């Protein structure tokens, strides 16, 4: 038997139809609007920065900018090609150091640690390290590598800059590897062990390939964070207005986009200030591209 809405109310059954005039619905809509307003305010600075950098730096983009060296202070023209190459070199050095160590640490935590005190200490240390200011990593490498000249007698170098950035990358790589491996079903592990595979073979052939997407996403995000850092590179890689000289250039000062922006932005010359804006535009595009690539990889993790 079908009852009308008023009949149901008369029998003590509540009416589930949505009514806009009810006080609770008005309050709900009010707080929804407030939450949406706060979300827009949170995103507004990002949009404003992107638009401002696009306007100020995008108009300077040209083939000359991407292929030539910076001009001497006060002169017009030139480009930021050495800084682009330097940023790629330093970031690659950091990735070569941080990815194997970070992935190995994540494998230990997820597959071998069994939740012991040492594993808890590593997880705690990783969380603390992820919140350490980037300048601390630069000061640490400055005190241990740069001042000691342990790298073939050289002080400031691209290698030292890569080491500083690798410290910043490690927490993200370790945590994403740890969490990614935890998402792998234990049935896969038990199945591999049941057919006679060793623990090492199970990790290498089963769990790591299965968790590749979340691990790769974390690696890309860590690279994006490291690529935009300035303070560690001021203490370690310093800056060079010249081209990097092959393999030997890894052990010498090298230009990077972030340090170029810092140096040229504080110069009292219009040409250098414009190059700083152009470098900001290139760096923002690079980091934005890495983040979009990470989101694209993340889509496969949810499938």
């Amino acid at each position: 038997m079908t009852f009308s809405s008023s009949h149901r109310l008369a029998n003590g059954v509540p009416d589930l139809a949505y009514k806009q005039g009810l006080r609770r619905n008005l309050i709900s809509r009010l707080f929804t609007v407030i939450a949406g307003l706060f979300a827009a305010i949170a995103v507004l600075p990002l949009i404003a920065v992107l638009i401002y950098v696009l306007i100020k730096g995008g108009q300077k983009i040209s083939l000359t900018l991407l292929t030539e060296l910076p001009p001497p202070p006060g002169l017009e023209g030139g480009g930021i090609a050495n800084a682009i190459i330097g940023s790629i070199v330093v970031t690659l050095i950091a990735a070569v150091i941080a990815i194997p160590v970070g992935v190995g640490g994540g494998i230990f935590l997820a597959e071998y640690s069994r939740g012991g005190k040492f594993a808890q200490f590593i997880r705690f240390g990783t969380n603390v390290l992820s919140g350490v200011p980037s300048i601390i990593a630069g000061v640490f490498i400055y005190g241990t590598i740069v001042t000691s000249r342990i790298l073939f007698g050289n002080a400031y170098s691209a290698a030292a800059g890569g080491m500083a950035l690798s410290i910043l990358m490690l927490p993200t790589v370790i945590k994403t590897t740890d969490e990614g491996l935890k998402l792998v079903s234990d049935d896969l592990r038990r199945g591999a062990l049941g057919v006679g595979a060793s623990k090492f073979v199970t990790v290498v052939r089963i769990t790591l390939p299965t968790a590749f997407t979340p691990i790769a996403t974390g690696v890309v995000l860590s690279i994006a964070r490291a690529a935009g850092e300035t303070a560690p590179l001021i203490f370690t890689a310093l800056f060079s207005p010249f081209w990097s000289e092959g393999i030997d250039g890894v052990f010498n000062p090298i230009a990077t986009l972030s340090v170029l922006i810092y140096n040229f932005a504080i110069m009292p010359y219009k040409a250098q200030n414009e190059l700083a804006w152009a470098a900001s535009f290139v760096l923002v595009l690079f980091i934005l591209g890495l983040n979009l690539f990470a989101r694209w990889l993340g889509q496969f993790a949810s499938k």
Side-chain angles (χ1 to χ4, degrees):
M1 180 179 293
T2 303
F3 296 95
S4 64
S5 175
S6 59
H7 193 95
R8 290 199 301 269
L9 286 174
N11 289 328
V13 181
D15 187 3
L16 299 179
Y18 179 79
K19 294 184 178 181
Q20 296 185 358
L22 292 180
R23 183 172 178 271
R24 64 173 181 270
N25 292 333
L26 293 176
I27 295 176
S28 176
R29 293 178 63 185
L30 174 63
F31 279 101
T32 301
V33 172
I34 293 175
L37 179 62
F38 286 162
I41 293 174
V43 177
L44 183 61
L46 172 63
I47 298 175
V49 168
L50 290 177
I51 293 176
Y52 195 69
V53 171
L54 177 64
I55 295 174
K56 296 286 289 185
Q59 59 187 358
K60 291 290 295 182
I61 298 299
S62 65
L63 184 61
T64 299
L65 180 80
L66 303 176
T67 57
E68 294 187 2
L69 291 173
L75 298 184
E76 300 286 339
I80 58 173
N82 64 331
I84 295 175
I85 295 174
S87 292
I88 295 174
V89 169
V90 172
T91 305
L92 284 177
I93 294 173
V96 168
I97 297 172
I99 293 175
V101 176
V103 172
I107 292 173
F108 170 78
L109 292 176
E111 301 291 339
Y112 293 96
S113 66
R114 301 181 183 276
K117 291 185 178 180
F118 182 68
Q120 295 177 6
F121 171 76
I122 295 298
R123 287 193 175 95
F124 175 76
T126 300
N127 292 330
V128 172
L129 185 60
S130 63
V132 170
S134 61
I135 194 171
I136 302 300
V139 172
F140 171 72
I141 296 299
Y142 175 81
T144 57
I145 303 298
V146 175
T147 58
S148 66
R149 295 179 177 268
I150 197 173
L151 296 177
F152 304 101
N154 297 296
Y156 298 98
S157 65
M163 292 178 186
L165 295 184
S166 68
I167 295 175
L168 304 178
M169 292 174 60
L170 271 176
T172 303
V173 179
I174 291 175
K175 288 195 289 187
T176 53
T177 302
D178 183 19
E179 296 299 326
L181 291 174
K182 288 180 180 178
L183 295 175
V184 178
S185 173
D186 286 336
D187 292 338
L188 292 175
R189 296 181 176 89
R190 286 192 289 265
L193 295 174
V195 297
S198 65
K199 182 72 172 179
F200 176 78
V201 172
T202 301
V203 170
V204 174
R205 301 293 297 272
I206 303 297
T207 56
L208 270 182
T210 305
F212 172 79
T213 299
I215 294 174
T217 302
V219 168
V220 173
L221 290 175
S222 68
I223 292 175
R225 184 206 171 182
E229 293 292 345
T230 304
L233 298 179
I234 295 176
F235 284 90
T236 53
L238 203 60
F239 188 78
S240 172
F242 309 108
W243 296 107
S244 178
E245 300 175 357
I247 299 299
D248 293 337
V250 174
F251 302 103
N252 292 311
I254 193 170
T256 55
L257 285 172
S258 55
V259 178
L260 182 144
I261 295 168
Y262 171 77
N263 289 339
F264 283 15
I266 61 178
M267 285 186 178
Y269 304 109
K270 182 179 178 181
Q272 273 66 30
N273 295 157
E274 291 178 347
L275 285 178
W277 280 113
S280 301
F281 177 78
V282 173
L283 185 59
V284 166
L285 284 185
F286 178 65
I287 296 175
L288 180 61
L290 287 175
N291 278 276
L292 291 176
F293 180 62
R295 288 184 60 86
W296 179 73
L297 285 176
Q299 292 178 358
F300 293 96
S302 59
K303 293 181 179 180

